[in-house]
PDB file of all heavy atoms in Angstrom:
ATOM      1  N   GLN O  20      20.994 -11.722  -5.301  1.00 98.00           N
ATOM      2  CA  GLN O  20      19.730 -11.107  -5.768  1.00 98.00           C
ATOM      3  C   GLN O  20      18.533 -11.996  -5.874  1.00 98.00           C
ATOM      4  O   GLN O  20      17.447 -11.538  -5.715  1.00 98.00           O
ATOM      5  CB  GLN O  20      20.126 -10.478  -7.229  1.00 98.00           C
ATOM      6  CG  GLN O  20      21.010  -9.232  -7.257  1.00 98.00           C
ATOM      7  CD  GLN O  20      21.291  -8.893  -8.571  1.00 98.00           C
ATOM      8  OE1 GLN O  20      21.826  -9.647  -9.481  1.00 98.00           O
ATOM      9  NE2 GLN O  20      21.037  -7.561  -8.889  1.00 98.00           N
ATOM     10  N   ARG O  21      18.753 -13.171  -6.235  1.00 98.00           N
ATOM     11  CA  ARG O  21      17.665 -14.144  -6.507  1.00 98.00           C
ATOM     12  C   ARG O  21      17.309 -15.043  -5.419  1.00 98.00           C
ATOM     13  O   ARG O  21      16.670 -16.109  -5.542  1.00 98.00           O
ATOM     14  CB  ARG O  21      18.039 -14.899  -7.842  1.00 98.00           C
ATOM     15  CG  ARG O  21      17.962 -13.929  -8.971  1.00 98.00           C
ATOM     16  CD  ARG O  21      18.720 -14.487 -10.215  1.00 98.00           C
ATOM     17  NE  ARG O  21      18.715 -13.524 -11.363  1.00 98.00           N
ATOM     18  CZ  ARG O  21      19.502 -12.508 -11.352  1.00 98.00           C
ATOM     19  NH1 ARG O  21      20.373 -12.118 -10.474  1.00 98.00           N
ATOM     20  NH2 ARG O  21      19.417 -11.558 -12.429  1.00 98.00           N
ATOM     21  N   GLY O  22      17.931 -14.893  -4.237  1.00 98.00           N
ATOM     22  CA  GLY O  22      17.666 -15.733  -3.100  1.00 98.00           C
ATOM     23  C   GLY O  22      16.152 -15.736  -2.753  1.00 98.00           C
ATOM     24  O   GLY O  22      15.617 -14.646  -2.537  1.00 98.00           O
ATOM     25  N   ASP O  23      15.565 -16.899  -2.722  1.00 98.00           N
ATOM     26  CA  ASP O  23      14.057 -16.917  -2.620  1.00 98.00           C
ATOM     27  C   ASP O  23      13.563 -18.357  -2.286  1.00 98.00           C
ATOM     28  O   ASP O  23      13.623 -19.198  -3.150  1.00 98.00           O
ATOM     29  CB  ASP O  23      13.379 -16.468  -3.889  1.00 98.00           C
ATOM     30  CG  ASP O  23      11.857 -16.459  -3.785  1.00 98.00           C
ATOM     31  OD1 ASP O  23      11.336 -16.665  -2.732  1.00 98.00           O
ATOM     32  OD2 ASP O  23      11.314 -16.095  -4.802  1.00 98.00           O
ATOM     33  N   VAL O  24      13.202 -18.590  -1.017  1.00 98.00           N
ATOM     34  CA  VAL O  24      12.866 -19.954  -0.503  1.00 98.00           C
ATOM     35  C   VAL O  24      11.411 -20.324  -1.202  1.00 98.00           C
ATOM     36  O   VAL O  24      11.157 -21.513  -1.184  1.00 98.00           O
ATOM     37  CB  VAL O  24      12.806 -20.130   0.868  1.00 98.00           C
ATOM     38  CG1 VAL O  24      13.992 -19.927   1.472  1.00 98.00           C
ATOM     39  CG2 VAL O  24      11.737 -19.200   1.586  1.00 98.00           C
ATOM     40  N   SER O  25      10.713 -19.311  -1.669  1.00 98.00           N
ATOM     41  CA  SER O  25       9.444 -19.582  -2.294  1.00 98.00           C
ATOM     42  C   SER O  25       9.590 -20.418  -3.671  1.00 98.00           C
ATOM     43  O   SER O  25       8.498 -20.852  -4.185  1.00 98.00           O
ATOM     44  CB  SER O  25       8.514 -18.412  -2.467  1.00 98.00           C
ATOM     45  OG  SER O  25       8.988 -17.618  -3.383  1.00 98.00           O
ATOM     46  N   ARG O  26      10.786 -20.435  -4.169  1.00 97.00           N
ATOM     47  CA  ARG O  26      10.896 -21.272  -5.295  1.00 97.00           C
ATOM     48  C   ARG O  26      10.663 -22.749  -5.002  1.00 97.00           C
ATOM     49  O   ARG O  26      10.329 -23.429  -5.963  1.00 97.00           O
ATOM     50  CB  ARG O  26      12.407 -21.125  -5.790  1.00 97.00           C
ATOM     51  CG  ARG O  26      12.733 -19.866  -6.586  1.00 97.00           C
ATOM     52  CD  ARG O  26      14.250 -19.711  -6.716  1.00 97.00           C
ATOM     53  NE  ARG O  26      15.014 -20.880  -7.345  1.00 97.00           N
ATOM     54  CZ  ARG O  26      14.886 -21.216  -8.612  1.00 97.00           C
ATOM     55  NH1 ARG O  26      14.301 -20.415  -9.431  1.00 97.00           N
ATOM     56  NH2 ARG O  26      15.537 -22.227  -9.065  1.00 97.00           N
ATOM     57  N   ASN O  27      10.641 -23.060  -3.833  1.00 96.00           N
ATOM     58  CA  ASN O  27      10.215 -24.459  -3.389  1.00 96.00           C
ATOM     59  C   ASN O  27       8.751 -24.852  -3.397  1.00 96.00           C
ATOM     60  O   ASN O  27       8.405 -25.885  -3.228  1.00 96.00           O
ATOM     61  CB  ASN O  27      10.834 -24.764  -2.000  1.00 96.00           C
ATOM     62  CG  ASN O  27      12.388 -24.816  -1.970  1.00 96.00           C
ATOM     63  OD1 ASN O  27      12.952 -25.847  -2.428  1.00 96.00           O
ATOM     64  ND2 ASN O  27      12.948 -23.824  -1.482  1.00 96.00           N
ATOM     65  N   THR O  28       7.995 -23.559  -3.462  1.00 98.00           N
ATOM     66  CA  THR O  28       6.512 -23.762  -3.345  1.00 98.00           C
ATOM     67  C   THR O  28       5.829 -22.905  -4.411  1.00 98.00           C
ATOM     68  O   THR O  28       4.739 -22.338  -4.134  1.00 98.00           O
ATOM     69  CB  THR O  28       6.110 -23.283  -1.927  1.00 98.00           C
ATOM     70  OG1 THR O  28       6.622 -21.922  -1.683  1.00 98.00           O
ATOM     71  CG2 THR O  28       6.497 -24.216  -0.884  1.00 98.00           C
ATOM     72  N   GLY O  29       6.453 -22.935  -5.595  1.00 97.00           N
ATOM     73  CA  GLY O  29       5.771 -22.170  -6.666  1.00 97.00           C
ATOM     74  C   GLY O  29       5.566 -20.722  -6.496  1.00 97.00           C
ATOM     75  O   GLY O  29       4.615 -20.198  -7.061  1.00 97.00           O
ATOM     76  N   GLY O  30       6.351 -20.118  -5.704  1.00 97.00           N
ATOM     77  CA  GLY O  30       6.275 -18.755  -5.550  1.00 97.00           C
ATOM     78  C   GLY O  30       5.413 -18.240  -4.202  1.00 97.00           C
ATOM     79  O   GLY O  30       5.495 -17.018  -3.945  1.00 97.00           O
ATOM     80  N   ASN O  31       5.055 -19.180  -3.494  1.00 98.00           N
ATOM     81  CA  ASN O  31       4.231 -18.850  -2.268  1.00 98.00           C
ATOM     82  C   ASN O  31       5.091 -18.793  -1.142  1.00 98.00           C
ATOM     83  O   ASN O  31       5.544 -19.896  -0.516  1.00 98.00           O
ATOM     84  CB  ASN O  31       3.073 -19.960  -2.077  1.00 98.00           C
ATOM     85  CG  ASN O  31       2.134 -19.609  -1.022  1.00 98.00           C
ATOM     86  OD1 ASN O  31       2.563 -19.022  -0.001  1.00 98.00           O
ATOM     87  ND2 ASN O  31       0.903 -19.954  -1.201  1.00 98.00           N
ATOM     88  N   LEU O  32       5.501 -17.622  -0.582  1.00 98.00           N
ATOM     89  CA  LEU O  32       6.452 -17.428   0.441  1.00 98.00           C
ATOM     90  C   LEU O  32       5.872 -17.905   1.820  1.00 98.00           C
ATOM     91  O   LEU O  32       6.554 -18.571   2.606  1.00 98.00           O
ATOM     92  CB  LEU O  32       6.857 -16.006   0.599  1.00 98.00           C
ATOM     93  CG  LEU O  32       7.831 -15.711   1.798  1.00 98.00           C
ATOM     94  CD1 LEU O  32       9.226 -16.325   1.388  1.00 98.00           C
ATOM     95  CD2 LEU O  32       8.166 -14.127   1.748  1.00 98.00           C
ATOM     96  N   GLU O  33       4.578 -17.655   2.004  1.00 98.00           N
ATOM     97  CA  GLU O  33       3.963 -18.033   3.265  1.00 98.00           C
ATOM     98  C   GLU O  33       4.050 -19.570   3.351  1.00 98.00           C
ATOM     99  O   GLU O  33       4.250 -20.187   4.365  1.00 98.00           O
ATOM    100  CB  GLU O  33       2.541 -17.515   3.306  1.00 98.00           C
ATOM    101  CG  GLU O  33       1.827 -17.832   4.703  1.00 98.00           C
ATOM    102  CD  GLU O  33       0.434 -17.151   4.863  1.00 98.00           C
ATOM    103  OE1 GLU O  33       0.020 -16.429   3.920  1.00 98.00           O
ATOM    104  OE2 GLU O  33      -0.231 -17.320   5.988  1.00 98.00           O
ATOM    105  N   GLU O  34       3.665 -20.241   2.265  1.00 98.00           N
ATOM    106  CA  GLU O  34       3.747 -21.705   2.272  1.00 98.00           C
ATOM    107  C   GLU O  34       5.029 -22.233   2.539  1.00 98.00           C
ATOM    108  O   GLU O  34       5.211 -23.260   3.305  1.00 98.00           O
ATOM    109  CB  GLU O  34       3.137 -22.247   0.941  1.00 98.00           C
ATOM    110  CG  GLU O  34       3.084 -23.826   0.836  1.00 98.00           C
ATOM    111  CD  GLU O  34       2.588 -24.317  -0.401  1.00 98.00           C
ATOM    112  OE1 GLU O  34       2.125 -23.513  -1.233  1.00 98.00           O
ATOM    113  OE2 GLU O  34       2.754 -25.497  -0.728  1.00 98.00           O
ATOM    114  N   ALA O  35       6.086 -21.728   1.905  1.00 98.00           N
ATOM    115  CA  ALA O  35       7.409 -21.945   2.099  1.00 98.00           C
ATOM    116  C   ALA O  35       7.908 -21.931   3.469  1.00 98.00           C
ATOM    117  O   ALA O  35       8.467 -22.916   4.129  1.00 98.00           O
ATOM    118  CB  ALA O  35       8.406 -21.246   1.080  1.00 98.00           C
ATOM    119  N   LEU O  36       7.677 -20.792   4.037  1.00 98.00           N
ATOM    120  CA  LEU O  36       8.099 -20.587   5.516  1.00 98.00           C
ATOM    121  C   LEU O  36       7.315 -21.363   6.413  1.00 98.00           C
ATOM    122  O   LEU O  36       7.718 -21.755   7.539  1.00 98.00           O
ATOM    123  CB  LEU O  36       8.101 -19.088   5.802  1.00 98.00           C
ATOM    124  CG  LEU O  36       8.994 -18.261   5.012  1.00 98.00           C
ATOM    125  CD1 LEU O  36       8.805 -16.784   5.332  1.00 98.00           C
ATOM    126  CD2 LEU O  36      10.444 -18.560   5.370  1.00 98.00           C
ATOM    127  N   GLY O  37       5.999 -21.740   6.016  1.00 98.00           N
ATOM    128  CA  GLY O  37       5.140 -22.537   6.807  1.00 98.00           C
ATOM    129  C   GLY O  37       5.643 -24.009   6.910  1.00 98.00           C
ATOM    130  O   GLY O  37       5.256 -24.775   7.803  1.00 98.00           O
ATOM    131  N   ARG O  38       6.482 -24.422   5.985  1.00 97.00           N
ATOM    132  CA  ARG O  38       7.129 -25.706   5.955  1.00 97.00           C
ATOM    133  C   ARG O  38       8.069 -25.920   7.174  1.00 97.00           C
ATOM    134  O   ARG O  38       8.381 -27.007   7.507  1.00 97.00           O
ATOM    135  CB  ARG O  38       7.741 -26.022   4.708  1.00 97.00           C
ATOM    136  CG  ARG O  38       6.891 -26.301   3.439  1.00 97.00           C
ATOM    137  CD  ARG O  38       7.906 -26.653   2.370  1.00 97.00           C
ATOM    138  NE  ARG O  38       7.089 -27.000   1.184  1.00 97.00           N
ATOM    139  CZ  ARG O  38       7.604 -27.407   0.037  1.00 97.00           C
ATOM    140  NH1 ARG O  38       8.937 -27.574   0.026  1.00 97.00           N
ATOM    141  NH2 ARG O  38       6.972 -27.790  -1.006  1.00 97.00           N
ATOM    142  N   ILE O  39       8.677 -24.895   7.589  1.00 98.00           N
ATOM    143  CA  ILE O  39       9.693 -24.947   8.562  1.00 98.00           C
ATOM    144  C   ILE O  39       9.232 -25.582   9.851  1.00 98.00           C
ATOM    145  O   ILE O  39       8.221 -25.159  10.534  1.00 98.00           O
ATOM    146  CB  ILE O  39      10.341 -23.619   8.865  1.00 98.00           C
ATOM    147  CG1 ILE O  39      11.015 -23.030   7.572  1.00 98.00           C
ATOM    148  CG2 ILE O  39      11.342 -23.619   9.994  1.00 98.00           C
ATOM    149  CD1 ILE O  39      11.443 -21.646   7.699  1.00 98.00           C
ATOM    150  N   LYS O  40      10.017 -26.615  10.358  1.00 97.00           N
ATOM    151  CA  LYS O  40       9.747 -27.221  11.610  1.00 97.00           C
ATOM    152  C   LYS O  40      10.787 -26.933  12.688  1.00 97.00           C
ATOM    153  O   LYS O  40      10.480 -27.085  13.900  1.00 97.00           O
ATOM    154  CB  LYS O  40       9.716 -28.812  11.445  1.00 97.00           C
ATOM    155  CG  LYS O  40       8.575 -29.267  10.572  1.00 97.00           C
ATOM    156  CD  LYS O  40       8.695 -30.857  10.393  1.00 97.00           C
ATOM    157  CE  LYS O  40       7.607 -31.302   9.601  1.00 97.00           C
ATOM    158  NZ  LYS O  40       7.607 -32.731   9.339  1.00 97.00           N
ATOM    159  N   ALA O  41      11.779 -26.329  12.344  1.00 98.00           N
ATOM    160  CA  ALA O  41      12.879 -25.855  13.326  1.00 98.00           C
ATOM    161  C   ALA O  41      12.401 -24.906  14.227  1.00 98.00           C
ATOM    162  O   ALA O  41      11.608 -24.044  13.884  1.00 98.00           O
ATOM    163  CB  ALA O  41      14.108 -25.405  12.444  1.00 98.00           C
ATOM    164  N   LYS O  42      12.984 -24.673  15.436  1.00 98.00           N
ATOM    165  CA  LYS O  42      12.835 -23.510  16.156  1.00 98.00           C
ATOM    166  C   LYS O  42      13.730 -22.442  15.596  1.00 98.00           C
ATOM    167  O   LYS O  42      14.938 -22.653  15.479  1.00 98.00           O
ATOM    168  CB  LYS O  42      13.233 -23.881  17.682  1.00 98.00           C
ATOM    169  CG  LYS O  42      13.281 -22.615  18.639  1.00 98.00           C
ATOM    170  CD  LYS O  42      11.858 -21.997  18.784  1.00 98.00           C
ATOM    171  CE  LYS O  42      11.794 -20.694  19.649  1.00 98.00           C
ATOM    172  NZ  LYS O  42      10.497 -20.149  19.706  1.00 98.00           N
ATOM    173  N   VAL O  43      13.222 -21.300  15.319  1.00 98.00           N
ATOM    174  CA  VAL O  43      13.888 -20.285  14.497  1.00 98.00           C
ATOM    175  C   VAL O  43      13.901 -19.036  15.366  1.00 98.00           C
ATOM    176  O   VAL O  43      12.973 -18.530  15.836  1.00 98.00           O
ATOM    177  CB  VAL O  43      13.155 -20.128  13.087  1.00 98.00           C
ATOM    178  CG1 VAL O  43      13.962 -18.910  12.326  1.00 98.00           C
ATOM    179  CG2 VAL O  43      13.178 -21.247  12.318  1.00 98.00           C
ATOM    180  N   PHE O  44      15.250 -18.547  15.368  1.00 98.00           N
ATOM    181  CA  PHE O  44      15.412 -17.149  15.889  1.00 98.00           C
ATOM    182  C   PHE O  44      15.871 -16.187  14.632  1.00 98.00           C
ATOM    183  O   PHE O  44      16.884 -16.485  14.065  1.00 98.00           O
ATOM    184  CB  PHE O  44      16.569 -16.941  16.984  1.00 98.00           C
ATOM    185  CG  PHE O  44      16.160 -17.418  18.319  1.00 98.00           C
ATOM    186  CD1 PHE O  44      14.831 -17.969  18.629  1.00 98.00           C
ATOM    187  CD2 PHE O  44      16.959 -17.249  19.410  1.00 98.00           C
ATOM    188  CE1 PHE O  44      14.523 -18.353  19.832  1.00 98.00           C
ATOM    189  CE2 PHE O  44      16.626 -17.705  20.717  1.00 98.00           C
ATOM    190  CZ  PHE O  44      15.397 -18.156  20.985  1.00 98.00           C
ATOM    191  N   VAL O  45      15.004 -15.394  14.307  1.00 98.00           N
ATOM    192  CA  VAL O  45      15.351 -14.509  13.226  1.00 98.00           C
ATOM    193  C   VAL O  45      16.106 -13.297  13.860  1.00 98.00           C
ATOM    194  O   VAL O  45      15.588 -12.683  14.725  1.00 98.00           O
ATOM    195  CB  VAL O  45      14.139 -13.992  12.419  1.00 98.00           C
ATOM    196  CG1 VAL O  45      14.354 -12.937  11.466  1.00 98.00           C
ATOM    197  CG2 VAL O  45      13.347 -15.147  11.677  1.00 98.00           C
ATOM    198  N   MET O  46      17.427 -13.004  13.335  1.00 98.00           N
ATOM    199  CA  MET O  46      18.243 -12.120  14.062  1.00 98.00           C
ATOM    200  C   MET O  46      18.719 -11.021  13.126  1.00 98.00           C
ATOM    201  O   MET O  46      19.951 -10.978  12.637  1.00 98.00           O
ATOM    202  CB  MET O  46      19.389 -12.901  14.615  1.00 98.00           C
ATOM    203  CG  MET O  46      18.937 -13.945  15.642  1.00 98.00           C
ATOM    204  SD  MET O  46      20.145 -15.118  16.182  1.00 98.00           S
ATOM    205  CE  MET O  46      21.622 -14.157  16.726  1.00 98.00           C
ATOM    206  N   PRO O  47      17.953 -10.022  12.809  1.00 98.00           N
ATOM    207  CA  PRO O  47      18.381  -8.858  12.056  1.00 98.00           C
ATOM    208  C   PRO O  47      19.285  -7.931  12.825  1.00 98.00           C
ATOM    209  O   PRO O  47      19.255  -7.870  14.082  1.00 98.00           O
ATOM    210  CB  PRO O  47      17.111  -8.263  11.650  1.00 98.00           C
ATOM    211  CG  PRO O  47      16.076  -8.459  12.801  1.00 98.00           C
ATOM    212  CD  PRO O  47      16.538  -9.806  13.299  1.00 98.00           C
ATOM    213  N   ILE O  48      20.017  -7.147  12.094  1.00 98.00           N
ATOM    214  CA  ILE O  48      20.823  -6.029  12.813  1.00 98.00           C
ATOM    215  C   ILE O  48      20.026  -4.705  12.729  1.00 98.00           C
ATOM    216  O   ILE O  48      19.646  -4.376  11.607  1.00 98.00           O
ATOM    217  CB  ILE O  48      22.285  -5.885  12.216  1.00 98.00           C
ATOM    218  CG1 ILE O  48      22.994  -7.152  12.451  1.00 98.00           C
ATOM    219  CG2 ILE O  48      22.986  -4.749  12.745  1.00 98.00           C
ATOM    220  CD1 ILE O  48      24.418  -7.308  11.725  1.00 98.00           C
ATOM    221  N   ASN O  49      19.940  -4.015  13.785  1.00 97.00           N
ATOM    222  CA  ASN O  49      18.981  -2.806  13.807  1.00 97.00           C
ATOM    223  C   ASN O  49      19.428  -1.759  12.838  1.00 97.00           C
ATOM    224  O   ASN O  49      18.557  -1.019  12.356  1.00 97.00           O
ATOM    225  CB  ASN O  49      18.881  -2.314  15.324  1.00 97.00           C
ATOM    226  CG  ASN O  49      20.186  -1.717  15.820  1.00 97.00           C
ATOM    227  OD1 ASN O  49      21.253  -2.098  15.403  1.00 97.00           O
ATOM    228  ND2 ASN O  49      20.184  -0.551  16.575  1.00 97.00           N
ATOM    229  N   GLU O  50      20.729  -1.547  12.608  1.00 97.00           N
ATOM    230  CA  GLU O  50      21.112  -0.483  11.678  1.00 97.00           C
ATOM    231  C   GLU O  50      21.526  -0.932  10.314  1.00 97.00           C
ATOM    232  O   GLU O  50      22.117  -0.273   9.490  1.00 97.00           O
ATOM    233  CB  GLU O  50      22.423   0.191  12.274  1.00 97.00           C
ATOM    234  CG  GLU O  50      22.066   0.989  13.494  1.00 97.00           C
ATOM    235  CD  GLU O  50      21.412   2.325  13.297  1.00 97.00           C
ATOM    236  OE1 GLU O  50      21.181   2.736  12.138  1.00 97.00           O
ATOM    237  OE2 GLU O  50      21.030   3.077  14.249  1.00 97.00           O
ATOM    238  N   ASP O  51      20.912  -2.216   9.909  1.00 97.00           N
ATOM    239  CA  ASP O  51      21.392  -2.707   8.667  1.00 97.00           C
ATOM    240  C   ASP O  51      20.617  -2.048   7.429  1.00 97.00           C
ATOM    241  O   ASP O  51      19.376  -2.081   7.410  1.00 97.00           O
ATOM    242  CB  ASP O  51      21.034  -4.305   8.730  1.00 97.00           C
ATOM    243  CG  ASP O  51      21.619  -5.054   7.505  1.00 97.00           C
ATOM    244  OD1 ASP O  51      22.001  -4.421   6.430  1.00 97.00           O
ATOM    245  OD2 ASP O  51      21.730  -6.344   7.599  1.00 97.00           O
ATOM    246  N   MET O  52      21.410  -1.629   6.462  1.00 94.00           N
ATOM    247  CA  MET O  52      20.680  -0.939   5.339  1.00 94.00           C
ATOM    248  C   MET O  52      20.353  -1.939   4.228  1.00 94.00           C
ATOM    249  O   MET O  52      19.573  -1.569   3.192  1.00 94.00           O
ATOM    250  CB  MET O  52      21.589   0.219   4.803  1.00 94.00           C
ATOM    251  CG  MET O  52      21.623   1.344   5.863  1.00 94.00           C
ATOM    252  SD  MET O  52      22.859   2.599   5.296  1.00 94.00           S
ATOM    253  CE  MET O  52      21.888   3.355   4.016  1.00 94.00           C
ATOM    254  N   PHE O  53      20.903  -3.096   4.265  1.00 94.00           N
ATOM    255  CA  PHE O  53      20.637  -4.109   3.268  1.00 94.00           C
ATOM    256  C   PHE O  53      19.409  -4.950   3.673  1.00 94.00           C
ATOM    257  O   PHE O  53      18.484  -5.244   2.820  1.00 94.00           O
ATOM    258  CB  PHE O  53      21.714  -5.168   3.143  1.00 94.00           C
ATOM    259  CG  PHE O  53      22.814  -4.629   2.151  1.00 94.00           C
ATOM    260  CD1 PHE O  53      24.096  -4.184   2.529  1.00 94.00           C
ATOM    261  CD2 PHE O  53      22.561  -4.550   0.767  1.00 94.00           C
ATOM    262  CE1 PHE O  53      24.996  -3.739   1.715  1.00 94.00           C
ATOM    263  CE2 PHE O  53      23.535  -4.005  -0.141  1.00 94.00           C
ATOM    264  CZ  PHE O  53      24.834  -3.619   0.348  1.00 94.00           C
ATOM    265  N   PHE O  54      19.310  -5.372   4.890  1.00 97.00           N
ATOM    266  CA  PHE O  54      18.140  -6.235   5.356  1.00 97.00           C
ATOM    267  C   PHE O  54      17.643  -5.552   6.669  1.00 97.00           C
ATOM    268  O   PHE O  54      17.937  -6.067   7.774  1.00 97.00           O
ATOM    269  CB  PHE O  54      18.781  -7.665   5.736  1.00 97.00           C
ATOM    270  CG  PHE O  54      19.452  -8.310   4.487  1.00 97.00           C
ATOM    271  CD1 PHE O  54      20.766  -8.375   4.375  1.00 97.00           C
ATOM    272  CD2 PHE O  54      18.651  -8.942   3.456  1.00 97.00           C
ATOM    273  CE1 PHE O  54      21.416  -9.007   3.312  1.00 97.00           C
ATOM    274  CE2 PHE O  54      19.216  -9.664   2.408  1.00 97.00           C
ATOM    275  CZ  PHE O  54      20.557  -9.550   2.303  1.00 97.00           C
ATOM    276  N   PRO O  55      16.806  -4.475   6.522  1.00 97.00           N
ATOM    277  CA  PRO O  55      16.282  -3.784   7.615  1.00 97.00           C
ATOM    278  C   PRO O  55      15.385  -4.754   8.549  1.00 97.00           C
ATOM    279  O   PRO O  55      14.857  -5.751   8.083  1.00 97.00           O
ATOM    280  CB  PRO O  55      15.488  -2.656   7.062  1.00 97.00           C
ATOM    281  CG  PRO O  55      15.362  -3.025   5.691  1.00 97.00           C
ATOM    282  CD  PRO O  55      16.375  -3.931   5.240  1.00 97.00           C
ATOM    283  N   VAL O  56      15.355  -4.376   9.788  1.00 98.00           N
ATOM    284  CA  VAL O  56      14.587  -5.173  10.726  1.00 98.00           C
ATOM    285  C   VAL O  56      13.067  -5.406  10.177  1.00 98.00           C
ATOM    286  O   VAL O  56      12.556  -6.593  10.312  1.00 98.00           O
ATOM    287  CB  VAL O  56      14.445  -4.533  12.127  1.00 98.00           C
ATOM    288  CG1 VAL O  56      13.521  -5.277  13.020  1.00 98.00           C
ATOM    289  CG2 VAL O  56      15.863  -4.433  12.741  1.00 98.00           C
TER     290      VAL O  56
END
């Protein structure tokens, strides 16, 4: 319930995700009711 990478940046999600240097493939499942695309 409390998963949140922005805890690393004082609640700023854009700043937190902007820290990422990895090449990232975000891979949602099209019919997922928990984590929709």
Side-chain angles (χ1 to χ4, degrees):
Q20 287 179 302
R21 292 159 180 81
D23 181 5
V24 297
S25 74
R26 283 169 51 81
N27 292 284
T28 52
N31 188 322
L32 182 62
E33 184 173 2
E34 180 183 347
L36 295 177
R38 286 185 177 184
I39 296 176
K40 297 181 180 180
K42 175 65 180 179
V43 179
F44 280 7
V45 174
M46 297 167 58
I48 295 175
N49 66 330
E50 294 282 354
D51 193 341
M52 295 176 71
F53 276 109
F54 303 100
V56 172

